[in-house]
Amino acid sequence: MSNTPPQRPLGGDDTRGLDGAAWFAGVEARGVVEWVDVDREPERLAAGGFWAVVGDFDGPVHAWRFRQVTRGTEPDDAATTAGWRGPASSAWRSSLDREAYLRAVEAIRAEIRAGEVYQVNICRVLEAPLGGGPVGGEPDARALAAALAAGNPAPYAGGVHVPATSGLPPAWVVSASPELYLRLDGDVLTSAPIKGTATAADGLQGKDQAENVMITDLVRNDLQRVCRPGTVEVTRLLGIEQHPGLVHLVTTVQGQLTRDVAAAPDRWRRLLAATYPPGSVSGAPKTAALRLIRQHEPVRRGPYCGVVGWIDADAGRAELAVAIRTFWWTAGARTGERSGRGQGPGTLRFGTGAGITWGSDPVAEWAETELKARRLIGLASSRHEPAPH
């Protein structure tokens, strides 16, 4: 990530197990020592420390405090990548097949025509069986992160791995996110929603610009709930960003927190209540979009479209990404499968989606979900073949 917390020496005498790791651009944390549900106990973040954050799209948002934080070290990608053993390319299955996705897009267009909503992000989850590995009997998350960094570098890439053996609620998330959800620097809050995707800049259309402006208005309204009147502004509108294999339209919105929010012990609960889940991956109006997402998506998104990032409570800084282009692993069988005593080899998942407006063509929206998934699924698979349909 572009803003990384400074290196800080180890503090205190807490030497409980050095399980777990979190990593972002130029910063690595080790030795998880506590966990918190941010909505229930946000004041614990205000007490200080470096926290890695992972939140499900549907909630909750969790944070793990780490004991040891170092900065400026980069892994040996060549050596680390060699340790990744992903599922076979043919093993991936989608929560929505092509025909089901096309029907969902048409259903959303009907809701737009009826005036119920303006835009809805409709997603599908890909999953494949993947057994355990060398880290507490779990796959090597750092090895997958290295494979993504080598083949699909991203400005907000990162990961959090807290093994079940740590004694705390586990996490296994590896992200190659290109999208900033929230950056906090003192009392300045910034968000940079992505809306509009194509293989090249000349492939972006009027629909992409309209969609971006809709979501920008939503994000401006979200930030105004916690920022001083008159301080929320668009600092960049419809910027074009190049990423491996595609381009995005990105707008940046910034504001200054109100004094009561900036000083509140429950500041992060207030920020999340105002802005979560991210508008770019839900829709507008947000409440109506979330209702339609629950209606038309057959499985929960999990961390996909949620949040992954860090909070440095001592420095008063944070950088949280929208958890798109993101893999997560859980123990147990795939969705809809049964195995003895609820156990299975483990499942690796990845989400992909597209924003639906009245101008959407269902076939083109399906193709966009394939475009977003193809490269990353290929990198995570044991054989680099096209992503499944």
Side-chain angles (χ1 to χ4, degrees), residues 96 98-112 120 122 296 354-366 369:
L96 288 169
R98 184 178 186 275
E99 293 309 312
Y101 192 86
L102 298 187
R103 289 195 299 270
V105 174
E106 290 291 12
I108 297 302
R109 293 184 71 248
E111 296 283 353
I112 295 171
V120 180
I122 292 295
H296 293 286
I356 311 305
T357 67
W358 174 245
S360 290
D361 171 64
V363 173
E365 301 296 357
W366 170 263
T369 71

Side-chain angles (χ1 to χ4, degrees), residues 236-247:
R236 182 179 66 159
L237 180 64
L238 301 176
I240 297 177
E241 290 189 359
Q242 299 277 347
H243 296 276
L246 46 76
V247 298

Side-chain angles (χ1 to χ4, degrees), residues 65-287:
R65 183 171 67 85
F66 285 82
R67 177 175 177 268
Q68 178 179 343
V69 181
T70 56
R71 183 186 176 209
T73 58
E74 297 294 339
D76 183 347
D77 284 348
T80 310
T81 302
W84 176 248
R85 295 292 182 268
S89 299
S90 58
W92 293 90
R93 297 291 181 268
S94 176
S95 61
L96 288 169
D97 63 18
R98 184 178 186 275
E99 293 309 312
Y101 192 86
L102 298 187
R103 289 195 299 270
V105 174
E106 290 291 12
I108 297 302
R109 293 184 71 248
E111 296 283 353
I112 295 171
R113 183 173 59 245
E116 295 296 318
V117 71
Y118 303 113
Q119 193 261 14
V120 180
N121 207 61
I122 292 295
C123 301
R124 57 194 179 100
V125 174
L126 306 176
E127 60 179 25
L130 182 65
V135 184
E138 300 178 8
D140 187 345
R142 286 301 296 264
L144 175 58
L148 300 187
N152 195 95
Y156 303 105
V160 181
H161 185 196
V162 179
T165 55
S166 70
L168 296 174
W172 198 110
V173 175
V174 177
S175 181
S177 176
E179 182 173 1
L180 175 67
Y181 164 48
L182 291 177
R183 176 185 295 127
L184 183 64
D185 192 351
D187 64 354
V188 177
L189 189 66
T190 304
S191 185
I194 287 176
K195 274 296 156 193
T197 300
T199 55
D202 58 7
L204 294 166
Q205 302 175 0
K207 177 257 184 189
D208 298 300
Q209 296 179 349
E211 186 180 354
N212 188 290
V213 170
M214 285 183 202
I215 297 304
T216 296
D217 283 341
L218 186 153
V219 171
R220 288 175 60 247
N221 289 337
D222 284 353
L223 265 59
Q224 284 169 354
R225 298 172 62 187
V226 291
C227 289
R228 298 182 184 184
T231 67
V232 176
E233 60 179 339
V234 174
T235 59
R236 182 179 66 159
L237 180 64
L238 301 176
I240 297 177
E241 290 189 359
Q242 299 277 347
H243 296 276
L246 46 76
V247 298
H248 289 308
L249 283 178
V250 184
T251 293
T252 304
V253 185
Q254 183 174 288
Q256 187 176 10
L257 295 182
T258 63
R259 291 176 181 174
D260 63 324
V261 171
D266 66 343
R267 173 174 59 182
W268 280 103
R269 176 162 56 196
R270 298 191 190 195
L271 296 181
L272 292 172
T275 64
Y276 198 77
S280 63
V281 288
S282 51
K286 189 181 286 187
T287 300

